[in-house]
Amino acid sequence: MMDSAAAKLPQREGSIFKGMIKAYDDKEYKKALSSADLILAGFPNHAETLAMKGLILSSQDHAAHKKEALDLAKEAIKQDIRSLLCWHVFGMIHRTDKNYTEAARCFQVAIRSDPSNLRILNDLAQCQVQIRDYPGFLRTRHALMTAQPTQKQNWLGFVVALHLVGQRQKALEACNAYLGTIPATKKELPPSSEPDVEQSELFLYKVQLQVELERWAEALQTLDQQEADIIDKPVWLQQRALVLFKLGRLQDAEVCYRELIDFNSECHADHYGLQEALGLKGDLTPEKADRMAALYQDLRQKHPASITCFTMPLIALPASHPSFRPTLDCFLRRCFVKGMPAAFIEAKPLYASPEKVAVIDELLRGYVEGLTSPAQRFAGDDHEAGAAVIVFVWLFQAQHLDRRGLFQEALAVIEGAIRHTPTMLDLLACKSRIAKHCGDVKAAAQWMDAARRMDLADRSANTNSVKYWLRADEPVVAARLVALFAKQDSEAHEHLCDMQCMWYFLEKGRAHHRMGEYSMALKSLRLVDKFLGEMIDDQFEFHNYCLRKCTLRAYMQMLDLGQSIYTNRYWMAAAVELIKVYCDLADRPELRTPRKSPAELAREAAEEAAKKAQGPAPAPFDLDLDLDLVCPARQRTHWDGVIPMGAVGRWVVAVAASPEDLSPEERKKAKLRAKQAEKRKAKKEDHDTAATAAAAALLEESSLKTSKTDEDPYGHKLLALDPLAEAARLAKLLEEHSPRSLEARLAAFEVSLRRGKYLLALRSVRGALAVAPESPDAHCALIRLFHSVDQASPAVAGRVAELLGPHRAELMGQQSLAQFNRAWMGRHGTSMPSVLAGLRMVGLVEAEAEAAALGQLVAPECTSPKLADWRHAHAYLAGLGTRGAAALQELVARGAARFPMAPLFVAARAGALTDDLLVLEGLPSGSTVAPGQTPPEEDDDADEPPEEYIPISARGQAVYERMQAAKAAAAAAAAAAAAGSS
């Protein structure tokens, strides 16, 4: 390829062309670029040189020369459309730009000129598997194996290609053919004591193919024959247990599963496999329940430290079984005595059964009664429990009551626990969660922040605190906290982007959306979408690596992940939220006008403060002085001291003089002046440094530090994009990858309805009804769809109604929209979200009946256990103004009775949850610190911890009291000293 391109040039230029290729291969891009320019100076239309110049520019700095490189490659193809090198280079530039589809097309054109070119075939195969073109990948891999049958990588690539297209039988045959060549190869190698990991992986991959083909006997034979060669024994046991179970050899499968549990007693999959092998899955008869209890009693004796051996029978056994209560009692006591704050998380699955919840409640009451008695022991125990055991019982009881919706009782329990042990982080975190469930997100954020300050090195507490501040619509405070764990040599925003921290940008985008900052919401939420694109692009480097290292099982898992990556819950949540933002922008075009957000205003204020702190820059001054006129009698030689001789404006004129020329008094004065000048200089430098640091801190606290290369730090350019086009792209991905998601279907419906795509909207509605037939949101979508069709222009409505008519009759019968909605409200009169959905549709299709229907929303039988449903009802009635005032008043009264701690319904409780926090932090109960604000910062120069600091729980209450006493003594001593000096 290189020789044919050089042959088109004269001998001198041909030699330069070969040197250019060598320089490019050695990554000497400047040398290669100068050679290309030298050739093009004499032959400006030489296609291969034009293409190579574009490739060199792309490799040197693709971001800066992307357009120029593509233009040069296109010009090269125009000059010689049949050139193999030009098409190959064009594909390589597209590949660098991560446009793998276009790169594959260019490589396919190039390979036509030289079907046996191995380099182009390898490049083509990588691009084809990246874009999931598996049939094309199979053809390319077959060509590579035919061209180089002795290469291991070509064989394994061909096997994987057959597997990906579903030809597992041929893949197994090809795998056996390659494995048959290994023994002969191994004999030629020197003996080695190290295990052959690659061969082990190949045997496990062969077993995987046999399992997928359901050839159980062959798979068992492979596992038994190659046991010595397979290094990963847990995987070998798992595969063997599965194969034995499929062959009906249940006793042998049981032995394998027991070995796996001995290896890792916390693996749920192995426990489920053991239960299945023993016939204990599904509905348990009394006889099976007894066997289940006996099984796990034996496993608990064998693995006394295993939590799963306790929770598995508790989940499977009914509450009425004789062993349920003793097992639960033993488990809870063990957790409380050992001090396990996560005990409630392990017990959460039990709350699906009301009978089990009743047993838990009864046991907890007994524990509290026994441990708070003078004996301080569990019922039936002879020895006294530790003083800390009751704290963990209270913690579990508060979480138990919170789970049941008894928020007042939960708060009473957790507040008593905090008074008992105010230095335990988990207690404050529990109260924060209770406050969140009560609806007071500001108090929840403050309590979680108080928990964080108990252990400043706890990343989990810091993460939860950041999340709670974001949910309280305080992104500035959250950004300051998240920076605590960022790398010191990078900005917090860049560090979070490098770590692909999706949860942070998702919560941050939601907060900005609630605050009406649409550009910043787009900026944060689109980062989550960008992270998934980066994950997909990162797979490109592993296609050849996995084949080279023989990690075929992990490689297949990676490819499966690439297929299902858009089912990631963070991406789905971000995509739905992005669609909501885009729909708001489409409904209200005035929101697309860039406006200065509070963050931008804060940044401008910080920059102005930094300029004022630095002061005006000194005016330039020319110090072209004749030193002989300043001190003519002195010899100017250099020595260690610098003597300031005078000042001109703000500039000091210094003369280097010999100390022998000065009298002792002058020498003393000169040294004193030098010291004073150094002090003034140091003071000015400290002042400038402090001002710069203060400005930087203000920028960081305001979440305003952004990358220097970010041309749009506040997302203003994102507002200029077509909102519905961007939303349609996301909606297509949601419906394609999550067809069983109700939120995905409803989000796609919102986009299609606004675009006037009624057939796509109908598909989304039918999909939503298939997932949740009684969903209030799906009901609203159905009525809104046909109402929009009825309100459309006659030309559009006629054509669409003809297509949608059969579907309307199928879904609604012969009823009108109003009749269908009234029937819905009649069927769901006790469900608040359903009645609210019906009321919204009443306002749409029969507005005159809306006032009469409001009474159904505030009827005693209409209720919901979720605070969010009450909040939506409150917002709906508040939006009606005077028409819904009476109904709103009644709803607030009912809500106050149902959620007595929610600030939405009881304004008097709005700050009550923070009163104890302010007292705990040393602030008076009537402090002016409002919910959502942080207490005043302490002096950074102080040696003692700030007032809000609370020692971690390991230090104990005594340490905390000693610290407070020491601080009080220091304050008293300072006051006495001040009084004495006065």
Side-chain angles (χ1 to χ4, degrees):
M1 181 170 60
M2 181 184 68
D3 294 337
S4 61
K8 300 178 183 178
L9 295 169
Q11 184 176 2
R12 176 176 173 273
E13 282 73 12
S15 300
I16 296 175
F17 185 86
K18 293 179 180 179
M20 176 186 65
I21 297 293
K22 185 178 185 303
Y24 169 77
D25 291 336
D26 295 339
K27 296 185 179 180
E28 297 177 357
Y29 298 125
K30 289 186 178 180
K31 181 179 178 181
L33 190 61
S34 62
S35 299
D37 291 335
L38 189 61
I39 296 173
L40 292 175
F43 300 89
N45 295 327
H46 187 245
E48 285 78 2
T49 306
L50 287 169
M52 283 303 302
K53 182 178 180 180
L55 181 60
I56 294 166
L57 290 173
S58 177
S59 303
Q60 192 176 25
D61 189 352
H62 181 75
H65 302 293
K66 172 182 174 181
K67 186 177 184 304
E68 184 180 0
L70 286 173
D71 291 342
L72 286 170
K74 291 177 183 178
E75 181 62 28
I77 291 175
K78 288 181 182 178
Q79 297 296 331
D80 189 354
I81 198 171
R82 296 184 179 181
S83 172
L84 180 147
L85 187 145
C86 293
W87 281 105
H88 189 196
V89 166
F90 197 25
M92 293 172 70
I93 295 175
H94 278 304
R95 186 182 63 186
T96 305
D97 197 31
K98 298 181 180 180
N99 188 355
Y100 301 110
T101 303
E102 290 299 324
R105 292 175 181 172
C106 294
F107 293 146
Q108 285 173 344
V109 175
I111 205 65
R112 294 173 189 168
S113 302
D114 187 4
S116 61
N117 191 304
L118 298 179
R119 183 171 182 178
I120 299 179
L121 284 173
N122 271 306
D123 291 342
L124 176 59
Q126 269 190 294
C127 291
Q128 285 173 329
V129 71
Q130 179 69 15
I131 63 177
R132 304 305 189 258
D133 179 15
Y134 294 143
F137 179 62
L138 175 60
R139 291 192 295 270
T140 306
R141 277 295 165 190
H142 183 267
L144 280 168
M145 193 193 68
T146 305
Q148 283 186 326
T150 59
Q151 293 292 323
K152 173 190 71 175
Q153 190 170 338
N154 293 340
W155 271 95
L156 297 183
F158 182 60
V159 172
V160 169
L162 288 169
H163 193 177
L164 290 173
V165 298
Q167 299 181 20
R168 294 181 178 85
Q169 176 60 38
K170 292 184 178 180
L172 181 60
E173 294 173 359
C175 185
N176 287 329
Y178 174 71
L179 286 172
T181 65
I182 290 180
T185 307
K186 293 293 182 183
K187 291 178 183 178
E188 300 174 1
L189 298 176
S192 175
S193 59
E194 296 182 0
D196 193 337
V197 179
E198 295 183 0
Q199 187 173 349
S200 172
E201 284 294 321
L202 285 176
F203 284 126
L204 287 174
Y205 180 69
K206 176 183 176 180
V207 172
Q208 179 180 339
L209 288 173
Q210 292 170 334
V211 167
E212 292 180 6
L213 289 169
E214 298 185 358
R215 297 187 174 181
W216 311 114
E218 294 182 13
L220 181 61
Q221 183 181 3
T222 303
L223 288 169
D224 291 341
Q225 289 179 351
Q226 311 300 333
E227 179 181 359
D229 296 324
I230 295 176
I231 300 170
D232 196 343
K233 295 305 178 184
V235 174
W236 179 84
L237 274 173
Q238 288 173 351
Q239 293 284 12
R240 194 169 192 276
L242 173 65
V243 171
L244 289 170
F245 177 79
K246 293 296 184 180
L247 289 172
R249 296 169 55 178
L250 302 182
Q251 292 183 348
D252 294 335
E254 177 190 350
V255 172
C256 290
Y257 281 121
R258 285 184 180 273
E259 289 185 34
L260 286 167
I261 292 174
D262 291 341
F263 180 78
N264 180 11
S265 61
E266 303 295 345
C267 180
H268 287 201
D270 297 338
H271 282 273
Y272 290 136
L274 177 60
Q275 293 173 18
E276 204 165 1
L278 293 172
L280 301 178
K281 290 288 287 183
D283 295 333
L284 293 180
T285 62
E287 186 268 335
K288 288 184 177 181
D290 293 339
R291 289 174 54 202
M292 173 77 77
L295 168 66
Y296 278 96
Q297 185 175 3
D298 177 64
L299 288 175
R300 283 195 298 273
Q301 293 176 354
K302 199 172 184 180
H303 308 283
S306 173
I307 295 177
T308 305
C309 291
F310 276 99
T311 57
M312 276 290 173
L314 291 176
I315 296 171
L317 294 176
S320 58
H321 193 272
S323 67
F324 177 80
R325 186 187 179 96
T327 304
L328 179 60
D329 184 24
C330 179
F331 170 68
L332 292 179
R333 292 192 186 195
R334 177 176 177 268
C335 292
F336 297 150
V337 171
K338 287 182 174 290
M340 292 176 52
F344 184 77
I345 297 176
E346 299 294 340
K348 265 187 179 180
L350 304 181
Y351 283 79
S353 170
E355 294 81 8
K356 295 181 181 180
V357 174
V359 176
I360 294 174
D361 189 72
E362 185 180 348
L363 287 174
L364 289 174
R365 292 178 187 276
Y367 298 154
V368 173
E369 182 179 354
L371 292 172
T372 54
S373 65
Q376 293 187 358
R377 64 186 61 177
F378 288 109
D381 278 1
D382 296 334
H383 59 278
E384 181 179 342
V389 174
I390 185 61
V391 181
F392 291 97
V393 175
W394 280 332
L395 174 61
F396 191 100
Q397 188 180 29
Q399 294 170 311
H400 164 76
L401 295 170
D402 177 45
R403 178 79 175 190
R404 295 173 60 194
L406 304 175
F407 302 126
Q408 281 183 306
E409 292 85 343
L411 278 172
V413 171
I414 201 64
E415 285 169 357
I418 292 174
R419 284 193 296 270
H420 181 278
T421 309
T423 58
M424 185 173 174
L425 182 152
D426 300 283
L427 297 179
L428 272 68
C430 177
K431 184 167 184 178
S432 172
R433 295 187 184 94
I434 296 172
K436 179 188 69 173
H437 298 155
C438 289
D440 197 343
V441 292
K442 298 289 186 181
Q446 288 187 345
W447 276 103
M448 189 60 74
D449 193 61
R452 175 192 67 83
R453 297 182 189 192
M454 285 189 173
D455 187 357
L456 300 178
D458 191 327
R459 290 177 180 265
S460 176
N462 185 75
T463 298
N464 285 328
S465 182
V466 170
K467 187 183 297 184
Y468 275 52
W469 279 119
L470 288 173
R471 291 176 178 176
D473 296 341
E474 294 285 354
V476 173
V477 181
R480 176 170 56 86
L481 293 181
V482 81
L484 296 176
F485 289 92
K487 288 183 178 179
Q488 297 298 324
D489 57 347
S490 66
E491 297 174 355
H493 179 84
E494 293 180 354
H495 177 63
L496 292 170
C497 289
D498 292 339
M499 299 299 293
Q500 296 179 335
C501 190
M502 290 191 284
W503 69 265
Y504 173 77
F505 291 106
L506 171 61
E507 294 291 347
K508 188 170 183 287
R510 285 172 169 172
H512 285 298
H513 187 197
R514 288 190 297 266
M515 297 165 66
E517 300 176 1
Y518 289 91
S519 61
M520 291 299 294
L522 291 175
K523 183 81 174 177
S524 298
L525 294 170
R526 283 173 65 96
L527 282 174
V528 182
D529 186 39
K530 176 187 174 184
F531 293 156
L532 254 71
E534 291 175 353
M535 293 177 189
I536 295 174
D537 292 338
D538 290 343
Q539 294 182 0
F540 185 81
E541 301 297 332
F542 288 91
H543 295 309
N544 285 337
Y545 175 84
C546 292
L547 297 178
R548 190 168 65 250
K549 294 295 184 180
C550 292
T551 55
L552 302 186
R553 294 183 301 119
Y555 182 52
M556 296 300 296
Q557 291 176 1
M558 186 192 76
L559 294 177
D560 291 340
L561 173 65
Q563 292 289 87
S564 60
I565 195 169
Y566 284 104
T567 60
N568 179 277
R569 62 190 181 98
Y570 289 117
W571 181 86
M572 290 180 63
V576 171
E577 193 71 21
L578 267 173
I579 288 176
K580 291 178 182 178
V581 174
Y582 284 130
C583 289
D584 289 347
L585 294 175
D587 295 340
R588 299 171 58 190
E590 67 273 10
L591 297 176
R592 300 176 63 186
T593 302
R595 295 177 296 176
K596 287 187 178 180
S597 65
E600 292 175 86
L601 296 175
R603 181 184 183 88
E604 292 177 359
E607 292 176 347
E608 186 65 25
K611 290 179 181 179
K612 290 181 179 179
Q614 293 174 358
F621 192 86
D622 188 7
L623 290 181
D624 187 12
L625 300 178
D626 189 355
L627 297 183
D628 289 329
L629 297 177
V630 177
C631 50
R634 298 171 186 168
Q635 181 182 2
R636 294 185 297 275
T637 59
H638 296 285
W639 65 297
D640 295 336
V642 177
I643 306 173
M645 298 299 298
V648 183
R650 295 181 60 188
W651 296 83
V652 175
V653 180
V655 177
S658 174
E660 291 78 13
D661 296 337
L662 301 176
S663 65
E665 185 178 355
E666 288 177 337
R667 189 181 301 114
K668 184 177 180 181
K669 290 181 179 180
K671 289 184 178 181
L672 179 62
R673 290 169 184 168
K675 289 181 180 179
Q676 291 175 349
E678 289 176 0
K679 287 182 179 179
R680 286 194 297 269
K681 182 180 179 182
K683 186 175 181 180
K684 183 179 182 301
E685 290 177 351
D686 292 343
H687 180 269
D688 294 343
T689 303
T692 305
L698 182 58
L699 292 177
E700 183 175 359
E701 289 182 5
S702 302
S703 181
L704 302 172
K705 292 182 69 178
T706 54
S707 174
K708 296 180 181 179
T709 60
D710 192 351
E711 299 178 355
D712 187 24
Y714 301 108
H716 290 164
K717 294 182 180 179
L718 300 176
L719 295 174
L721 301 176
D722 184 0
L724 291 182
E726 294 293 318
R729 177 184 66 84
L730 295 170
K732 181 180 179 181
L733 288 172
L734 281 171
E735 286 199 304
E736 179 182 350
H737 294 278
S738 303
R740 299 295 299 173
S741 171
L742 178 63
E743 285 191 341
R745 291 291 191 178
L746 293 175
F749 163 78
E750 296 292 342
V751 178
S752 299
L753 189 66
R754 285 169 173 78
R755 297 175 64 206
K757 306 292 185 180
Y758 297 112
L759 292 177
L760 294 178
L762 175 64
R763 184 183 68 180
S764 299
V765 169
R766 292 190 70 100
L769 291 172
V771 174
E774 301 301 321
S775 167
D777 294 327
H779 168 75
C780 291
L782 180 63
I783 292 182
R784 287 173 57 200
L785 170 62
F786 292 117
H787 181 265
S788 298
V789 173
D790 294 340
Q791 298 298 318
S793 62
V796 175
R799 294 195 301 269
V800 174
E802 182 180 354
L803 295 173
L804 269 61
H807 297 278
R808 182 169 185 170
E810 178 186 352
L811 296 171
M812 301 177 60
Q814 301 301 320
Q815 296 175 311
S816 65
L817 297 179
Q819 292 171 343
F820 181 74
N821 187 53
R822 285 196 294 269
W824 164 271
M825 295 179 67
R827 292 197 311 270
H828 304 86
T830 60
S831 172
M832 180 173 289
S834 300
V835 172
L836 181 60
L839 278 176
R840 295 183 189 277
M841 295 303 101
V842 167
L844 183 67
V845 299
E846 46 177 351
E848 65 281 357
E850 185 179 21
L854 290 179
Q856 191 171 350
L857 182 62
V858 295
E861 64 273 7
C862 181
T863 184
S864 172
K866 297 181 179 179
L867 178 61
D869 295 333
W870 290 77
R871 187 182 293 115
H872 294 157
H874 184 280
Y876 170 73
L877 293 176
L880 296 179
T882 56
R883 291 178 297 152
L888 178 62
Q889 186 176 1
E890 188 171 352
L891 181 75
V892 168
R894 290 185 57 216
R898 180 67 178 82
F899 300 96
M901 313 302 295
L904 179 67
F905 301 117
V906 186
R909 287 291 302 176
L913 285 173
T914 61
D915 287 347
D916 296 335
L917 175 63
L918 299 177
V919 174
L920 183 66
E921 293 186 345
L923 296 170
S925 178
S927 173
T928 57
V929 180
Q933 296 179 350
T934 54
E937 295 292 337
E938 296 291 330
D939 186 5
D940 293 336
D941 296 333
D943 295 331
E944 66 272 13
E947 279 293 325
E948 66 270 16
Y949 175 79
I950 303 173
I952 60 176
S953 57
R955 299 179 183 176
Q957 179 69 14
V959 178
Y960 179 66
E961 291 175 355
R962 288 199 300 271
M963 185 188 75
Q964 295 297 328
K967 291 170 66 176
S981 63
S982 63

